[in-house]
């Protein structure tokens, strides 16, 4: 998918299939602002500046996905002092739905840590959307947590997760992502570790 028309068609198809704008943003690794534009294309407006990332060649191939998860792990440990606490880096690995879940699962296995799943507010279609931790996975209260996702687009979801964890007496110790589209070093005091920083040059 390389052209703007392809993105518009894909966004509209996902909407027709019942996806919310937030889910479409996650599926296409785009900001909510960009997805809103793709779906409406309001007259007199131009497309927001954004970068589409298609990493399905990796995400759809389990062995490559596992290698990517290991790269995230190694990236983190290479930055830590040699006399640090060592493995596990955290008690709970928090995967952000949807794309962060398989990465977090693979990392939790390697770290012998528990797994939690966070559903962002943008995926909630209620009148007053809020984010939440799934009750079917690990609890996060009083735990040291690492947050895992595929892409930081605007940083809003990460801010939401960090705030949620702190509010529920958890300690977010790091954020791990494959792609950082903002070049963010930390979010509310929580350091960000990315494999790739994506920059748009106009």
């Amino acid at each position: 998918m390389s052209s703007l028309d392809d993105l518009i068609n894909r966004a509209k198809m996902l909407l027709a299939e019942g996806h919310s704008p937030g889910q479409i943003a996650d599926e296409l690794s785009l900001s909510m602002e960009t997805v809103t534009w793709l779906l409406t294309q309001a007259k007199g407006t131009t497309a927001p500046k954004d970068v589409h990332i298609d990493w399905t060649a990796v995400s759809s191939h389990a062995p490559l996905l596992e290698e990517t998860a290991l790269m995230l792990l190694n990236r983190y440990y290479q930055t830590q002092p040699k006399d640090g606490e060592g493995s596990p880096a955290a008690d709970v690995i928090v995967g952000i739905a949807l794309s962060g879940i398989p990465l977090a699962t693979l990392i939790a296995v390697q770290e012998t840590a528990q797994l939690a799943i966070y559903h962002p507010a943008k995926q909630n279609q209620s009148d007053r959307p809020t984010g939440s931790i799934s009750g079917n996975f690990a609890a996060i209260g009083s735990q040291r947590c690492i947050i895992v996702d595929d892409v930081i687009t605007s940083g809003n979801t990460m801010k939401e997760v960090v705030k949620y964890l702190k509010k529920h007496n958890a300690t977010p110790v790091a954020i791990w992502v494959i792609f950082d589209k903002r070049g963010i070093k930390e979010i509310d005091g929580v350091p960000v570790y990315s494999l790739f920083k994506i920059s748009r040059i106009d």
Side-chain angles (χ1 to χ4, degrees), residues 8 11-12 15 33-43 45:
I8 291 168
K12 289 183 176 179
L15 185 67
E33 180 187 18
T34 302
V35 168
T36 300
W37 185 89
L38 291 172
L39 294 172
T40 61
Q41 298 164 65
K43 289 184 178 179
T45 62

Side-chain angles (χ1 to χ4, degrees), residues 90-92 114 138-145 165 168-173:
D91 308 302
V92 179
Q114 295 185 65
I140 48 99
S142 304
Q143 302 296 309
R144 296 171 67 253
C145 300
L165 293 178
H168 290 84
N169 301 316
T171 304
V173 296

Side-chain angles (χ1 to χ4, degrees), residues 3 10-11 18 36 61-62 65-66 69 77 94 98 106 108-109 115 139 175:
S3 75
R10 177 73 174 141
T36 300
H61 192 66
L65 192 62
E66 182 177 27
Y77 279 119
V94 180
L98 185 65
L106 292 163
V109 169
L115 175 69
I175 295 166

